[in-house]
Amino acid sequence: MTGKYKTLLSPIRIGNTVFRNRLFAAPTGVHALQGGEPYPTQALIEYFANKAKGGAALVTVHGMFDRDKFDGQHIAWDGTVLHNQHYLSQMADAIHFYGAKASMEIRGENREGYYDVVEGLTGFASSTPSKEMTPEIMDEIAESYADTAAIAQRCGFDMCMIHMAYASPGPARFISPHFNKRTDEYGGPIENRLKFPIMVFDRIKERCGKNFLIEFRVSGAEPQFDDGIKVEDTIAMSKILEGHVDMLHLHGGEMWSAHPTCFAGAAPFVPVAEQVRKAGSPIPIVAIGGIQDLDEIEEILYSGKADIVSMGRGWIADPFIGMKAYEDRGADVVPCIRCMRCHDSACLEDRSFVCSVNPCMGIEHNLVKSIQPPKRKKKVAVIGGGPAGMKAALELSERGHSVTLFEKTDSLGGQLNFADFAEFKHGLKKFKNYLLEQIGKSDIKLKLGYEASVENIREQGFDEVVVALGAGPVYPPIKGIDSPSVIPALDVYGKEDAQGDHVLILGGGQVGCETAVHLARSGKKVHIIEMQEELAPDASFSYRLSLMGALEKEAGITKHTGHRCTSIGDTVICVDADGKEKSFSADKIILAAGMCARTDEGMNFYQTGIKTAMIGDCEKIGNVSYAIRSAYAAASQI
């Protein structure tokens, strides 16, 4: 193997199965691609097959419950209906076509009557106290796992993943000493706590044979519990499980932190994987969680911290990571920004499946008929160098057009530039730099410090115009809002020292809360004033959990919800929910009351007489996902 990614692209043999490289695609919940069908639709088949096409060695499909249960988030089917299984076979065939192995995730849920490791526990979606699982129920559950694995095998899957991470109700809680307080042979030391999971594994092996591999996902540690799983337990576990499972995925300790956002460091679970592997694990260790950078993956594998790296969101952001690794193009991998839009849109929000940085996500299966090659090369002007403008310019250039990108300031980036200064927005900064680097490699003509107008655009003979002027801050009708002490939130970044020691933020949406965290970490005392009773309601659900956690950790932040600002002068006057007036003193007032689309300015360019399209915040206030998707859509039609 030549090139810079020799280790990650080297094959690995597990049992009698050879994987072409060490990049695995983890299961990702994408029920927004389904319409309630009890079988995978063509959209879902193409979604998973594209990971194989992009170079993954293993694609694990998310997933089915034992006993064919279905909660709207997972592929499932009635095991008695052969026709439904035909679609599962088509999925396995599609994955195999591109040279990858196919695995089916199997999650164990509770039986009717709600059985759990001990009596009295409640689950994620149930407040009904559980009954303690008896050996008879354990045997029944193990048998249903084997039934499900046998169906997957019959449909052409090479292996299965048994998901018992973050103490999900059922078998997973046997492993955690925090939940498992049994005094019989299934409680106490780790070898006892593993007896029921091993029963499941062995039943699958008995039914499907030793060549049907089992990948086992478990929490490597549970730092959220004083009496949770410790690394020492996992080291012992890796040795006990030899001969029962074929790979050990070491995940996070609880469901939400297991999907690390930008507030977590790079690859936060790798240290546990490293300890387990270097302690002499006899089975391959799979690292997962916030990993995507190919150079980082190569270092993890080369230095022996893990045998394999598995990614979920990484393959969503860029389905062709593997191909780019083979071509030594690590710098061209589209960075995941860990915003959790994919996870939440797919699992929690009942909306279309989206990715902030990959505009094709959720519509991959329609692109062949939706996008046609251009009939002729055109001269296209893109006005505005923010994320939408940069993405549109890149797509237009990729389609063979002659593109000129106009930006009135002296630098590209637009509203993404604040990420250069906020440490926890490292993913967004990386994405912005990725766009800049791609533009630098392209034939796009740049005109910085150039304010485009109807006249000068008309004079330059363009065939089409794409307008991406973005948005500006909303100035609410508050007395004194035009005071010199008021500064828009995005203008704070890079100028933190000029804001004084005490700041007040008007607006507790995602932008206001992120700015509060950033300024508090810069040593400021911060007050957040928010009219609603809830902070950051505009943030994605999972990301909001991390953001609220970050707010709570900063002692310098004081939150005032249900407060409305009425005037700004020597002090800031607010009225609380009870109508009581309060005053606050601050060196600076940071405005985070929303953004206003520059639609009127954008519409001026329709006067050029040239075919014009508006994209991003210029057309409608949105987020990075909307900006990138609208840019891609507009460019693909030129």
Side-chain angles (χ1 to χ4, degrees):
M1 179 66 65
T2 60
K4 60 188 296 190
Y5 303 120
K6 296 179 182 178
T7 313
L8 70 87
L9 293 177
S10 63
I12 182 170
R13 178 172 178 169
I14 300 176
N16 290 321
T17 301
V18 175
F19 299 91
R20 59 184 173 183
N21 61 51
R22 297 170 188 243
L23 294 175
F24 285 11
T28 46
V30 287
H31 83 279
L33 286 177
Q34 293 279 112
E37 300 87 348
Y39 53 83
T41 61
Q42 189 61 34
L44 209 57
I45 290 172
E46 288 194 30
Y47 166 76
F48 285 109
N50 278 343
K51 300 177 191 299
K53 184 178 181 180
L58 173 69
V59 177
T60 301
V61 174
H62 181 102
M64 54 186 282
F65 291 122
D66 65 294
R67 286 195 163 187
D68 308 323
K69 288 199 171 186
F70 181 52
D71 73 346
Q73 296 185 27
H74 308 82
I75 303 168
W77 67 93
D78 182 344
T80 65
V81 181
L82 184 61
H83 293 88
N84 287 347
Q85 294 180 23
H86 290 167
Y87 289 92
L88 270 296
S89 296
Q90 290 175 31
M91 176 177 278
D93 286 347
I95 293 170
H96 290 149
F97 182 84
Y98 294 112
K101 305 301 180 185
S103 178
M104 173 62 73
E105 179 190 37
I106 305 175
R107 297 173 65 104
E109 299 300 305
N110 290 283
R111 308 275 68 79
E112 295 174 14
Y114 196 72
Y115 290 93
D116 213 325
V117 56
V118 295
E119 186 173 357
L121 293 175
T122 56
F124 296 136
S126 172
S127 58
T128 304
S130 62
K131 301 175 184 177
E132 183 171 295
M133 211 177 283
T134 64
E136 292 76 18
I137 293 295
M138 293 181 212
D139 182 76
E140 181 184 341
I141 292 173
E143 194 65 20
S144 69
Y145 267 101
D147 290 342
T148 305
I151 293 171
Q153 184 182 42
R154 187 165 65 244
C155 290
F157 286 82
D158 305 288
M159 52 197 292
C160 67
M161 169 187 277
I162 304 301
H163 189 315
M164 294 188 186
Y166 32 86
S168 302
R173 298 221 236 209
F174 276 77
I175 302 168
S176 172
H178 176 77
F179 293 102
N180 188 344
K181 305 297 183 184
R182 296 175 75 117
T183 57
D184 63 3
E185 62 177 304
Y186 297 98
I190 184 63
E191 54 267 27
N192 284 5
R193 304 199 307 272
L194 283 171
K195 282 187 176 180
F196 176 37
I198 287 174
M199 181 192 303
V200 170
F201 306 144
D202 290 352
R203 199 70 57 89
I204 292 172
K205 288 289 188 181
E206 291 166 9
R207 184 75 61 84
C208 300
K210 68 177 183 178
N211 289 329
F212 187 76
L213 302 184
I214 298 174
E215 42 178 344
F216 178 37
R217 173 179 283 189
V218 66
S219 296
E222 293 179 322
Q224 73 273 27
F225 301 133
D226 291 336
D227 58 348
I229 296 170
K230 302 292 189 292
V231 176
E232 294 74 19
D233 291 323
T234 308
I235 290 171
M237 185 191 310
S238 71
K239 297 172 182 177
I240 294 168
L241 290 175
E242 184 179 14
H244 302 287
V245 301
D246 303 285
M247 284 175 270
L248 189 60
H249 288 242
L250 297 181
H251 219 315
E254 56 92 26
M255 183 162 60
W256 301 116
S257 66
H259 304 83
T261 68
C262 59
F263 290 100
F269 312 134
V270 167
V272 172
E274 179 179 11
Q275 292 179 68
V276 176
R277 188 181 187 276
K278 292 185 175 179
S281 171
I283 54 179
I285 297 298
V286 183
I288 188 171
I291 310 171
Q292 189 200 25
D293 184 277
L294 288 175
D295 293 323
E296 181 182 23
I297 294 171
E298 177 67 17
E299 191 279 327
I300 289 169
L301 298 174
Y302 179 78
S303 61
K305 296 174 183 176
D307 299 285
I308 297 160
V309 165
S310 185
M311 295 173 283
R313 291 171 292 168
W315 288 102
I316 293 173
D318 191 335
F320 300 100
I321 297 174
M323 290 296 98
K324 290 175 181 178
Y326 284 110
E327 296 166 1
D328 278 351
R329 295 172 53 213
D332 294 334
V333 171
V334 183
C336 170
I337 63 174
R338 299 197 199 177
C339 63
M340 296 299 286
R341 291 283 174 185
C342 60
H343 178 276
D344 292 353
S345 68
C347 301
L348 299 173
E349 297 175 356
D350 295 320
R351 53 178 288 184
S352 299
F353 185 33
V354 299
C355 170
S356 288
V357 299
N358 179 0
C360 300
M361 192 47 54
I363 57 173
E364 294 169 291
H365 55 294
N366 287 325
L367 291 182
V368 172
K369 59 184 179 183
S370 299
I371 300 177
Q372 301 298 320
K375 294 181 180 179
R376 66 181 179 89
K377 180 178 178 179
K378 293 183 177 181
K379 184 178 179 182
V380 185
V382 178
I383 303 170
M390 289 191 288
K391 180 63 175 177
L394 286 167
E395 290 299 328
L396 288 163
S397 179
E398 182 72 20
R399 287 173 63 79
H401 298 300
S402 174
V403 182
T404 303
L405 178 57
F406 297 90
E407 167 56 41
K408 70 177 181 179
T409 70
D410 60 1
S411 64
L412 299 174
Q415 292 185 40
L416 299 188
N417 285 327
F418 84 98
D420 290 346
F421 306 98
E423 179 277 329
F424 56 88
K425 302 301 285 188
H426 50 84
L428 198 59
K429 175 183 177 181
K430 192 170 183 179
F431 177 60
K432 184 204 75 170
N433 290 339
Y434 159 82
L435 292 174
L436 293 175
E437 185 167 348
Q438 297 305 306
I439 286 174
K441 295 177 181 179
S442 74
D443 294 327
I444 296 168
K445 302 178 187 69
L446 279 180
K447 290 197 174 182
L448 300 178
Y450 186 107
E451 185 163 5
S453 67
V454 172
E455 292 73 22
N456 58 37
I457 291 297
R458 183 189 291 133
E459 290 169 358
Q460 294 178 58
F462 289 102
D463 298 304
E464 298 206 27
V465 179
V466 177
V467 183
L469 295 179
V474 168
Y475 285 83
I478 299 171
K479 181 181 178 182
I481 195 69
D482 56 352
S483 167
S485 62
V486 178
I487 180 172
L490 293 182
D491 292 350
V492 167
Y493 294 86
K495 303 171 185 174
E496 294 79 5
D497 291 344
Q499 311 313 317
D501 296 326
H502 296 82
V503 298
L504 185 145
I505 297 178
L506 292 181
Q510 180 174 329
V511 170
C513 290
E514 288 178 342
T515 304
V517 172
H518 174 65
L519 290 175
R521 291 182 177 180
S522 301
K524 315 296 183 185
K525 296 295 182 183
V526 183
H527 288 266
I528 303 174
I529 304 297
E530 170 55 44
M531 291 177 62
Q532 300 184 66
E533 294 299 328
E534 183 179 56
L535 293 174
D538 54 331
S540 181
F541 177 84
S542 302
Y543 178 79
R544 182 179 180 275
L545 292 177
S546 295
L547 179 55
M548 293 302 102
L551 284 175
E552 292 301 322
K553 289 179 182 177
E554 298 301 330
I557 298 175
T558 305
K559 303 176 287 292
H560 306 276
T561 56
H563 283 59
R564 177 172 56 88
C565 178
T566 58
S567 69
I568 299 170
D570 293 336
T571 61
V572 177
I573 306 300
C574 297
V575 176
D576 67 15
D578 298 322
K580 183 180 178 180
E581 193 170 270
K582 297 181 180 179
S583 66
F584 300 88
S585 296
D587 298 314
K588 287 285 185 179
I589 295 89
I590 311 301
L591 187 59
M595 302 296 285
C596 179
R598 294 192 174 105
T599 307
D600 291 342
E601 296 173 51
M603 289 182 65
N604 288 333
F605 288 93
Y606 285 84
Q607 300 175 34
T608 59
I610 305 168
K611 186 179 179 183
T612 300
M614 290 196 298
I615 61 173
D617 281 351
C618 176
E619 190 268 334
K620 184 181 75 173
I621 296 297
N623 49 31
V624 175
S625 174
Y626 175 73
I628 298 301
R629 171 66 71 85
S630 67
Y632 179 77
S636 70
Q637 301 306 308
I638 297 176

